[in-house]
Structures are given as C-alpha cells and as structure tokens.
Amino acid sequence: MFKPLASFLPKLGNRQLFQRNYASTLAFIESSKDGSISKSSLSLLAAAEKLSNPITAVITGSQAEKTAKALKFFYSCKNLEKLILFEDSKLDACLPEKLTPLLVNLLKGKEYSHFVVSNSSVGKSILPRVGALLDVQPVCEVTVIKDPNTFVRPIYAGNVISTIECPTEKKLLSIRASAFAPIAEGSMESVSIKKETDIPPCDLDVNCVKTILTRNERPELTSAQNVVTGGRALKDKETFDKLLSPLADVLHAAIGATRASVDNGLCDNSLQVGQTGKVVAPDLYIAVGVSGAVQHLAGMKDSKIIVAINNDPDAPIFNVADYGLQGDLYKIVPELTEKLREEK
Ligand SMILES: Cc1cc2nc3c(=O)[nH]c(=O)nc-3n(C[C@H](O)[C@H](O)[C@H](O)COP(=O)(O)OP(=O)(O)OC[C@H]3O[C@@H](n4cnc5c(N)ncnc54)[C@H](O)[C@@H]3O)c2cc1C
C-alpha cells in the first residue's frame, strides 16, 4: 500500500514536489552610448523596489560593463542583487527586434515573477513584443505600485485613474518614470555582475543604419526641473526660438511644445509633451500660448507648479494652472524674462 504523499514531504522538501514561482523582478536598464544610465532607469529601479522582490537588472550594449559599474558604485538600490550584462555593440541601438528574444529567453522560465521597463520609447517598443511572445497582457504606464499584484495607471489620456489587480502569474509592467523619484546615490558592494555571451539570434534581419542625434545643450525634457512649453500661438520657428529660448535660459529649463507647434514646424517633434509625446512632471511648467487640450494635459498636469500665459480667459489650461497670466504672450514673455533676469 502506498504511503500518503504528505509523509514524504519533509524528506523531499517542498521544492521537489511543486515548482513554485519565485518572486523576483527583472528590470531592463537603458543607458546612452557613453555608458551613462538614463535617469528613467534610476526611477525604474525605485519603482522595482516597491515590488519588494529581489531585483536582477539586465544591461545591454557595448558599454554594458561601464553602465554596470556606474550603477554598482554610485547608486543605492537595496533589493538589487544581480546585474546581467549582454555586452555587444549589435545591441547599442536598442532595436526591439534584437532585444526581445534575449529578454523572452530570460523571462520564459519561472525565475522572474515581474518584468519592468521604463515608459520610454525603448520600453514601449519592447514590452508589447515580450508580452505577445509570453502570452501575457502587459500593464502600461504604472504610476503607483500598491503591492506586487496591484497597480495604478492613468487611462483615457489621464482623465481616469484606474487601479488594476493583475491576476497573471508573470507581470509585465512599464513604469512612468516621472511618478517615481530616482534611486539615491550610494554604492552596492554586494551586487554581483554576470556577463552573458549567449545572445539569442534575431529572426528578422534588422540593423540600425544610421543614428541622427539631436544636440541639445538644455536639460533633458522628461527629467528637467523646469520646462517652458510653446503652443501654436508662437506662429513660426523663428518666433518660437526668439521668445522661448531666453526664458528657458534664465530658468535653466528644457523647452517643450504642443502637438500643434510640432505639426506646424515650430520645433522638433522630440519636444512634444502630451498623450502622444513625452510625459513630464517638473517643479515648474510654463505654458506659453497653449490652450490646454486634454491630450496636452495628459503629459504635464502632474507638474508641481503650472504657470499659463494665454489671452483667452476661458482657455482650459487655466483650469489646471496655479498661476494664470491672461494677456498677450508677445508682451508678457519678454517682460517676465527680463524680471527673472533682474532677480538673478
Ligand atoms: C489622438 C490625439 C493625440 C494628441 N496628442 C497630443 C499631444 O501629445 N500633445 C499635444 O500638445 N497635443 C496633442 N493632440 C492635439 C491636441 O488636441 C491640441 O490640438 C493641441 O494640444 C493644441 O495645441 P496648442 O495649445 O498649441 O494650440 P491651440 O489649441 O490652437 O491653442 C493656442 C492657444 O494660444 C492662445 N493664444 C493665441 N494667441 C495668443 C497670444 N498672442 N497671447 C497669448 N495667448 C495666445 C489661444 O488663446 C489658444 O488658447 C492630440 C490630438 C489627438 C486627436
């Protein structure tokens, strides 16, 4: 007669009978070509800490080791245990076609319960591919992590804030970087670094032919403390630059734009703030000649102080503004710039 199964348990140990899902987070770290870690990845690690799992970070590209050392010796993330490096220049361009097989390979087993990317253009292009191949629905643009299964995210261009309980065994999350303060400076002596050489082949013959960098002396838009944004009212590129640059200079601010400004050729589309542009939450956001359409508000309404300059008293931007200057921007902006210069 067979003994009841339970009588074997102490001998075998639970692990041999049940393959349990280990609660552990895999975080994808982004870095620039010179190996410096993107600020959004520092926020990503801060968000990953809230999952209360051990964290493994994966770093790719020719400068992966430099990035890993910068992370290990200059920052502090108490749950970070391991860094996995894929040091290969073919991964420099962060092409999702090349990164996806590599990430799916890491995620397909039971080791990781959570996978987190930042809500950058790289994260946004990786996550759906990983989700499709693992047959898991990702949860996008998470702004609050309530517990390892419950996440808050904005929907309908930020007009509704939804709380989601995620029932899937594996959770794939993109994190809105502006909602999490970056991890603090420090060092992490105990973090191990593992170099991987086994890079899974990419089924698609995709290569990066050319990278065109937009040189910008200003702070990066998504992480700037101050942002000055110009709307359609600025009419043309020359006026946009002539009025906004001095104001941004005096505030050491990044320059943003509405979609109407971008579509009308007033500036580069990398400056677009909003639902289909970048999401920012600076300390100070000055909206110049911006009406405040919902799609624009979706990208900036979490800014700490909002100043709106508009000649229409009924412009919706005034509904979210802490300070409203009603009048002609062509008079107000030079005056404001001059006053701020005097204050310095
Ligand atoms: C699917 C979808 C996605 C979108 N995504 C985005 C997005 O990501 N970001 C975004 O910004 N938009 C987005 N839009 C477009 C959005 O709906 C608005 O059309 C756009 O934001 C308007 O830009 P604006 O405020 O510059 O222009 P307008 O709406 O034309 O506003 C110009 C403002 O300037 C004021 N003004 C004019 N002259 C002066 C003056 N001399 N002095 C002071 N004020 C003056 C006017 O009173 C007006 O309020 C999206 C739209 C759709 C449908």
Side-chain angles (χ1 to χ4, degrees), residues 179-219:
F180 297 87
I183 49 168
E185 288 177 8
S187 80
M188 299 179 280
E189 294 295 329
S190 61
V191 169
S192 67
I193 297 183
K194 185 178 172 215
K195 284 192 186 180
E196 282 284 353
T197 46
D198 188 16
I199 299 176
C202 162
D203 293 341
L204 296 165
D205 188 16
V206 179
N207 286 304
C208 176
V209 178
K210 195 162 141 192
T211 307
I212 301 169
L213 280 183
T214 314
R215 298 235 170 264
N216 197 346
E217 301 300 315
R218 298 193 181 281

Side-chain angles (χ1 to χ4, degrees), residues 50-73:
K50 301 217 179 287
L51 294 165
S52 311
N53 299 330
I55 304 167
T56 297
V58 57
I59 305 176
T60 59
S62 56
Q63 300 298 313
E65 189 167 3
K66 194 173 167 196
T67 310
K69 284 187 175 155
L71 188 57
K72 183 173 160 124
F73 296 114

Side-chain angles (χ1 to χ4, degrees), residues 322-341:
D322 299 282
Y323 298 93
L325 298 170
Q326 193 214 319
D328 186 1
L329 68 90
Y330 291 94
K331 278 174 84 179
I332 295 175
V333 173
E335 234 178 88
L336 180 64
T337 308
E338 205 38 56
K339 285 251 159 33
L340 287 167
R341 227 180 249 136

Side-chain angles (χ1 to χ4, degrees), residues 85-106:
L85 314 187
F86 290 89
E87 202 166 30
D88 190 323
S89 58
K90 288 196 214 82
L91 301 173
D92 276 350
C94 283
L95 292 176
E97 292 82 0
K98 291 200 191 291
L99 290 172
T100 304
L102 176 157
L103 293 165
V104 167
N105 230 15
L106 290 172

Side-chain angles (χ1 to χ4, degrees), residues 94-149:
C94 283
L95 292 176
E97 292 82 0
K98 291 200 191 291
L99 290 172
T100 304
L102 176 157
L103 293 165
V104 167
N105 230 15
L106 290 172
L107 288 164
K108 67 185 176 202
K110 296 246 170 190
E111 191 172 357
Y112 301 107
S113 54
H114 292 77
F115 174 55
V116 291
V117 296
S118 61
N119 199 46
S120 60
S121 48
V122 173
K124 278 184 195 165
S125 51
I126 295 172
L127 202 63
R129 289 174 162 88
V130 171
L133 291 171
L134 295 176
D135 199 17
V136 176
Q137 169 69 51
V139 180
C140 297
E141 276 212 62
V142 171
T143 53
V144 178
I145 293 173
K146 293 201 158 212
D147 63 45
N149 300 317

